[in-house]
Amino acid sequence: MPFLLRVELPDVPGSLGRLAGAIGEAGGDIDAIEIVEKRDGTAVDDVLLEIAPGTMPDSVVSAVNGLDGVRVVWISRYNAGGNLFLDLEAVEELTANPEGALDRLIDLLPVTFRADWAARVSKVDGIVYTTEAAPSALSWVQIDRAEPIDHDDENTIACAARLNKTEIVVIGRRGGPDFLDSEIARLGHLVGLAMSISRAAKAHAH
């Protein structure tokens, strides 16, 4: 069963080795590690791992939290396929089909950000395009840059980025973890890229 573990650890040589050792001893097998954010001597990493049948995720969490200066931020089952989907891969996919870039962006965002759903919401038409798990009611909000937004369901953490004057892109996670500043900045960047790719395709078509 794949799990995604978000962990905060000291940004010093040897930290990842200690983390990997603790996860292994507790019955976890690491598939991938991605650095999400670095700040003042600490790093936040996402670890994609398989947990052996009969092993409880709690035992992995306890082992990791038992390390000096290391803290588990979040752990959950991870069903979005067995690999972390990097921003670069997302951009390559969008460039491959520029006409459909805006909808494809929505399909890719949950995997890219380990979120549960994504949606395009228009000021005029309401919801334009969503992934399956998105809520049926989403409202447009006035934003200038990518930022966290309030959501009707208090268990959902959402952030949004402006696509153009009348549309925004929203992504949401149920139950957490919060979107980090670096993730919000990445969302803004990817949405901007998708918009440029789509705009170039339209200009080219005319």
Side-chain angles (χ1 to χ4, degrees):
M1 171 67 74
F3 279 83
L4 186 74
L5 180 75
R6 174 162 289 186
V7 61
E8 206 172 72
L9 68 170
D11 189 13
V12 294
S15 273
L16 275 177
R18 287 182 15 231
L19 174 67
I23 289 173
E25 279 169 31
D29 183 22
I30 296 177
D31 284 340
I33 293 180
E34 187 181 334
I35 297 162
V36 183
E37 190 165 78
K38 283 184 182 246
R39 48 177 180 222
D40 307 333
T42 54
V44 178
D45 288 4
D46 276 352
V47 182
L48 186 65
L49 51 96
E50 289 279 344
I51 294 181
T55 304
M56 297 301 290
D58 303 357
S59 53
V60 173
V61 172
S62 305
V64 172
N65 279 333
L67 295 170
D68 212 22
V70 179
R71 183 174 74 88
V72 172
V73 181
W74 188 63
I75 185 169
S76 75
R77 288 188 173 186
Y78 184 64
N79 299 325
N83 67 332
L84 297 180
F85 194 90
L86 301 173
D87 298 15
L88 190 62
E89 293 178 44
V91 172
E92 282 175 358
E93 281 234 13
L94 298 178
T95 316
N97 176 18
E99 289 81 10
L102 300 183
D103 287 347
R104 189 71 191 119
L105 172 74
I106 300 304
D107 294 332
L108 296 173
L109 285 175
V111 191
T112 312
F113 286 92
R114 270 84 77 200
D116 290 302
W117 52 265
R120 272 171 68 195
V121 185
S122 152
K123 186 176 180 178
V124 185
D125 305 316
I127 296 173
V128 182
Y129 186 87
T130 68
T131 56
E132 275 180 23
S136 51
L138 282 169
S139 24
W140 183 85
V141 286
Q142 173 71 53
I143 49 169
D144 287 325
R145 55 194 175 86
E147 57 186 76
I149 58 169
D150 290 329
H151 191 270
D152 301 340
D153 173 8
E154 58 197 35
N155 198 24
T156 293
I157 291 155
C159 73
R162 187 175 135 166
L163 196 55
N164 52 37
K165 289 193 180 96
T166 57
E167 274 188 43
I168 58 169
V169 167
V170 187
I171 57 176
R173 285 179 180 150
R174 288 200 193 83
D178 287 338
F179 288 100
L180 300 172
D181 292 346
S182 59
E183 291 182 300
I184 293 169
R186 276 173 51 215
L187 175 67
H189 183 61
L190 269 176
V191 167
L193 278 171
M195 196 61 221
S196 309
I197 292 168
S198 159
R199 209 175 266 143
K202 283 203 180 91
H204 192 66
H206 298 307

